[in-house]
Amino acid sequence: MQSMLIKNARLETGFVYENGRVVQTETDIFDVLIQDGIILEVGKNLSDSGHSVLQADEKLLMPSFREMHIHVDKTYFSGPWKACKPITNGIITRIEEEQVLLPAQLPFAQNRAENMIQWLISQGHTHIRSHCNVDPQIGTKHIEITKEAFKKFENQVTYDIVAFPQHGLLRSNVEPLIREAMRMGATLVGGVDPSIIDRDIDRSLNLTMDIAVESGTGIDIHIHDPNSLGAFEFYKLAALTKQAKKEGTVTISHAIALGDLQGTDLDELTAALAEAKIDVTTTVPINRPTIPIPYLHKNGVQVSVGHDSLTDHWSPFGTGNTVEKLSILAERFKFIDEYSLNRCWRYASGDITPLNDEGKQVWPQKGDAANMVLLDAVCSAQAVARRRPITHVVSNGAVVFEKEDVFEGVLK
Amino acid sequence: MSKAKWLSNVKLETGERWLDNGTVETETSLFHLKIDNGKIVEIIEASNGIPAGHESIDMQQKLAVPTFKEMHNHLDKTYMSLDWKACTPVSSLKERLSFEAAELSVLSDTAQQRATTMIETLLRQGSTHIRTHVNIDPYIGLKNLEGVIAALDTFKGKVTADIIAFPQHGLLRESVPSLMREAMRSGATMVGGLDPAGIDNAIEKSLHEVMDIATEFDADVDIHLHDGGFVGYYTTDKWIDIVQQANYQGRTALSHSFCLGDIPVSQQELVAARLAEENVAIMSTIPINLGRVIPPIDLLDDHGVNVHFGCDGFYDSWSPYGTGDVLEKATRFCELTRKIDEKSLRNSLKWVTGGLVALNEDGQKVWPNVQDEASFVFFDAASSAEVVARKPDNRLVMVKGVLV
């Protein structure tokens, strides 16, 4: 396979302290040699002979993003503008709407999925986890088209497909369809609100875990159920996870309840999730209490961000821009200083950051996967706070996106 | 020879239609607009040819919406155009103020340069009116005011502005009341104030001093009110008394007013009715930091209170974020209050246009009309609802018939 030299990239190398406080991020210019999708060498003035060369022009090199919660299979993205229908009967409004809408969208669903994947790649994502409807009307057709869509971006983006019983695993009676979806190549078993939708918490969670065990995969389950109800379900899921020895393979999406709890209720639930190695994904919602992201991270629960929607029948908002998402995260938690802004990147990169918490350079190293982005930024704190633009995306060692005309200095 | 010109193929919103399933769609049509002397002088349907004899610019079916008003900013404080700098964490407002005081004297030399970059950023994204507060304090005196005025002068004809003399470090101290008066004589156009309880520690005296200066110079007022809970509520209520006594209806505003979100709904309704009665506007920057309560904007709106959005000062010693896109504040407000359907998204544009919208709440076309100023933001969008939900990056800004 080919090799590529990234010439003159800016890397974060440490922190500058003043009175014991981080006031600046130290950076330096390096060359990064990549071969077969892996970083071979990081150094100064590496020879460029025999390699293709990407001139980084002192732009900032950072780990690429992982979009950890999106629905590429049902979107208005790239289609004509359409606002949402007002909600009249809670989530059931949307389920009834989907019974008509999704079959109608089927002829162009794959095309829209491809457009969305393309857009997400341009926004610096080299991994995408997409939930994918499995329901009585659509059957497993969305699994099929999502696979086909991702196939077109092989080597540009890795992915997970979650077999998602949006209308309820029990409620819509799709157990056989979910099993079929897993056989077709879905990589995770999905789920949604075992109480509100399925109205049988134990049976719903048990069956979800059964399917995961049978198919040898993990789980990613939407749980919007709030406070004590959500907590009740999280404890159940943690126990099931340990029992099935599925630690490290289970994700709770949204996990709204974590934003409702405080004090020992939060401490104990967090400890239970950490022990079962259950991670959570969040869209950093602003219309409800955002889950305590830094607290969870500090206490051993990995948190990842996702966009969920870039405009669909659920929400007209969403940009797919993860630099913007991180800046909203920072604003939400009032991260205003260099250090706390610097520590944001990990929520979008699968916990990979150039510097560790102590400011020691830990990325990129020889042997690391060559998934990265170049930004017109002086450091990641600035990139996040000022929403600096991504200029290049490197996936599996090759340039998969290059921005033509970067608006220089717009938000500087 | 007349310098009139045609803007051809402009998409305008003309009405709405209700679908069987209870949803609303916005109807649009293409028009040619004749512009003369910065005003619209004729509007014809695009099915007609473009009349000959004048220059014409093909707007390629872009949607026109009114230009934006950035109603709460601090042009003098931003770090824009300087090297990257994050903020210094502090443990109290007092500490933040003393940090700012130390920094101000260093920064004031570049006030014009920094303000210019901020104005460019705001204008590029569609704001053609900027209400800026400018520090008037014992540390820098009028230096920031001079810089901001100089910066705004270079945008004459493109950007209008309210320049507020803002006693950031307290009004009732040392030389500030006389500095404020000097500022009013030196180009400030409005009188500001700040937390009569929290900063000045004398609610009535502080409010009266603000109104005294305002009446002395026949100037409007915009007061920062962060004081929360009932002390903020009382301050608001007392201010309304003072407005009534001074006959200052329609000439004053309170910025932030978090306190209105802290009080019970029954009380919100009472104060909303009084705010509407005395025509006191509320300015919000739609903060999203966790735990921050914002004023009940929909309730205020229902009672007829004028509400406007602003970006607030940004990328300064207080906050490292901010894009200068006031439209994003409307998007954020809709997301925050779950406005997701065509009608509620569309109606929300008014928060950033000074109330100007293409369709009224009943879906009837009310803008633009002949004799209106030919100032627009153009988007590739189907409706203003799409503009609000998607806040598209690609925009063209036109002021009085000229693309800027």
Side-chain angles (χ1 to χ4, degrees), chain B residues 150-164:
Chain B
L152 282 166
D153 273 346
T154 63
F155 291 87
K156 278 245 163 80
K158 295 181 197 163
V159 174
T160 54
D162 302 313
I163 304 168
I164 304 175

Side-chain angles (χ1 to χ4, degrees), chain A residues 51-288:
Chain A
H51 319 297
S52 65
V53 175
L54 170 58
Q55 293 291 353
D57 297 328
E58 307 199 344
K59 292 195 191 79
L60 182 69
L61 189 69
M62 290 292 289
S64 62
F65 294 137
R66 298 164 68 84
E67 163 55 78
M68 289 300 278
H69 190 107
I70 189 92
H71 298 256
V72 302
D73 62 323
K74 42 175 188 180
T75 182
Y76 294 161
F77 185 78
S78 77
W81 160 249
K82 205 153 118 184
C84 301
K85 216 175 131 173
I87 291 191
T88 46
N89 187 20
I91 191 170
I92 305 299
T93 306
R94 292 290 175 244
I95 291 177
E96 285 170 356
E97 187 179 9
E98 288 200 348
Q99 292 167 352
V100 182
L101 178 73
L102 297 188
Q105 286 187 165
L106 204 49
F108 41 84
Q110 185 180 328
N111 182 255
R112 287 189 184 172
E114 288 168 14
N115 290 337
M116 199 186 221
I117 293 166
Q118 180 102 62
W119 175 254
L120 289 171
I121 291 171
S122 78
Q123 300 300 304
H125 304 94
T126 58
H127 181 83
I128 298 172
R129 176 178 291 192
S130 179
H131 293 255
C132 199
N133 261 46
V134 175
D135 66 50
Q137 284 73 35
I138 285 300
T140 55
K141 291 196 195 88
H142 277 198
I143 300 278
E144 215 173 289
I145 57 165
T146 304
K147 272 180 66 182
E148 285 302 311
F150 275 117
K151 213 183 263 176
K152 301 217 168 149
F153 299 92
E154 247 176 67
N155 289 323
Q156 296 190 39
V157 71
T158 56
Y159 61 89
D160 273 309
I161 295 179
V162 187
F164 176 43
Q166 169 80 74
H167 303 179
L169 178 60
L170 304 177
R171 185 185 174 280
S172 67
N173 209 8
V174 289
E175 180 191 340
L177 284 173
I178 294 287
R179 290 189 196 274
E180 188 189 324
M182 299 314 292
R183 283 192 295 271
M184 289 170 65
T187 58
L188 291 161
V189 182
V192 59
D193 295 337
S195 61
I196 299 297
I197 300 284
D198 273 347
R199 308 200 74 79
D200 192 337
I201 298 172
D202 286 311
R203 209 155 70 82
S204 179
L205 289 176
N206 284 336
L207 183 54
T208 306
M209 186 58 82
D210 280 352
I211 301 173
V213 169
E214 183 195 277
S215 50
T217 64
I219 290 176
D220 188 337
I221 180 168
H222 287 64
I223 303 185
H224 314 86
D225 293 329
N227 54 60
S228 55
L229 180 57
F232 181 82
E233 292 166 332
F234 296 180
Y235 279 119
K236 290 268 181 184
L237 185 60
L240 275 176
T241 301
K242 281 162 67 181
Q243 203 186 326
K245 300 202 165 40
K246 286 282 186 188
E247 289 96 336
T249 70
V250 176
T251 300
I252 302 175
S253 280
H254 304 303
I256 302 294
L258 290 169
D260 298 332
L261 302 179
Q262 276 159 358
T264 49
D265 286 346
L266 177 62
D267 296 342
E268 285 168 15
L269 182 57
T270 302
L273 294 177
E275 203 191 317
K277 294 199 175 63
I278 292 178
D279 63 326
V280 298
T281 64
T282 179
T283 61
V284 197
I286 60 169
N287 57 4
R288 56 169 98 228

Side-chain angles (χ1 to χ4, degrees), chain B residues 300-365:
Chain B
L300 293 169
D301 183 52
D302 288 344
H303 283 78
V305 180
N306 287 321
V307 180
H308 304 281
F309 293 172
C311 292
D312 208 346
F314 64 85
Y315 188 26
D316 54 23
S317 67
W318 301 71
S319 149
Y321 334 106
T323 60
D325 183 10
V326 75
L327 174 61
E328 183 174 332
K329 297 290 183 179
T331 309
R332 182 181 279 198
F333 178 66
C334 288
E335 198 171 347
L336 200 60
T337 52
R338 299 175 194 244
K339 298 185 196 340
I340 60 173
D341 61 292
E342 182 79 11
K343 219 172 156 89
S344 62
L345 286 166
R346 184 183 79 208
N347 289 340
S348 298
L349 192 67
K350 69 176 176 196
W351 312 113
V352 297
T353 59
L356 204 55
V357 282
L359 302 179
N360 66 15
E361 304 224 352
D362 300 324
Q364 284 153 344
K365 179 177 180 290

Side-chain angles (χ1 to χ4, degrees), chain B residues 75-89:
Chain B
L75 291 177
D76 58 326
K77 294 193 185 195
T78 188
Y79 293 158
M80 284 187 129
S81 81
L82 307 180
D83 286 342
W84 159 247
K85 185 155 74 166
C87 301
T88 305

Side-chain angles (χ1 to χ4, degrees), chain B residues 122-188:
Chain B
L122 294 166
L123 177 61
R124 186 188 308 122
Q125 298 179 89
S127 290
T128 56
H129 180 83
I130 300 170
R131 173 172 289 196
T132 178
H133 298 255
V134 181
N135 269 35
I136 302 298
D137 64 48
Y139 313 101
I140 47 152
L142 306 188
K143 244 180 135 174
N144 278 7
L145 180 65
E146 289 155 13
V148 166
I149 290 174
L152 282 166
D153 273 346
T154 63
F155 291 87
K156 278 245 163 80
K158 295 181 197 163
V159 174
T160 54
D162 302 313
I163 304 168
I164 304 175
F166 174 48
Q168 170 76 75
H169 295 261
L171 175 61
L172 302 179
R173 55 180 286 188
E174 307 139 35
S175 53
V176 176
S178 62
L179 273 175
M180 288 284 287
R181 287 174 168 84
E182 205 184 320
M184 295 308 295
R185 283 187 289 268
S186 311

Side-chain angles (χ1 to χ4, degrees), chain A residues 346-368:
Chain A
R346 58 185 169 206
Y347 300 117
S349 63
D351 212 13
I352 303 171
T353 50
L355 305 177
N356 67 12
D357 286 351
E358 289 73 42
K360 184 174 174 287
Q361 189 181 2
V362 291
W363 181 94
Q365 307 271 351
K366 184 179 173 175
D368 285 345

Side-chain angles (χ1 to χ4, degrees), chain A residues 21 23-24 77 81-87 94 284-292 310-311 313-319 324-325 327-328 330-339 341 378-379 381-382 384-387 407 409-412, chain B residues 21-23 25 79-82 84-90 96 117 121 124-125 286-291 314-315 317-324 328-329 331-332 334-342 345 382-383 385-386 388-391:
Chain A
R21 193 176 73 75
V23 290
Q24 219 181 309
F77 185 78
W81 160 249
K82 205 153 118 184
C84 301
K85 216 175 131 173
I87 291 191
R94 292 290 175 244
V284 197
I286 60 169
N287 57 4
R288 56 169 98 228
T290 293
I291 63 172
L310 310 186
T311 181
H313 53 293
W314 296 79
S315 161
F317 312 113
T319 62
E324 177 176 331
K325 183 67 81 183
S327 112
I328 288 169
E331 195 170 349
R332 200 102 172 98
F333 289 95
K334 271 207 158 183
F335 296 153
I336 62 167
D337 65 301
E338 184 78 12
Y339 184 75
L341 288 166
V378 298
C379 62
Q382 186 216 18
V384 169
R386 309 303 312 136
R387 302 189 191 175
F407 234 5
V410 185
L411 300 176
K412 241 169 182 167
Chain B
N21 64 10
T23 61
E25 284 183 0
Y79 293 158
M80 284 187 129
S81 81
L82 307 180
W84 159 247
K85 185 155 74 166
C87 301
T88 305
V90 292
R96 172 64 68 216
T117 310
T121 305
R124 186 188 308 122
Q125 298 179 89
I286 318 295
I288 56 164
N289 51 308
L290 279 169
F314 64 85
Y315 188 26
S317 67
W318 301 71
S319 149
Y321 334 106
T323 60
E328 183 174 332
K329 297 290 183 179
T331 309
R332 182 181 279 198
C334 288
E335 198 171 347
L336 200 60
T337 52
R338 299 175 194 244
K339 298 185 196 340
I340 60 173
D341 61 292
E342 182 79 11
L345 286 166
S383 65
E386 181 179 5
V388 171
R390 312 297 308 153
K391 59 179 176 69

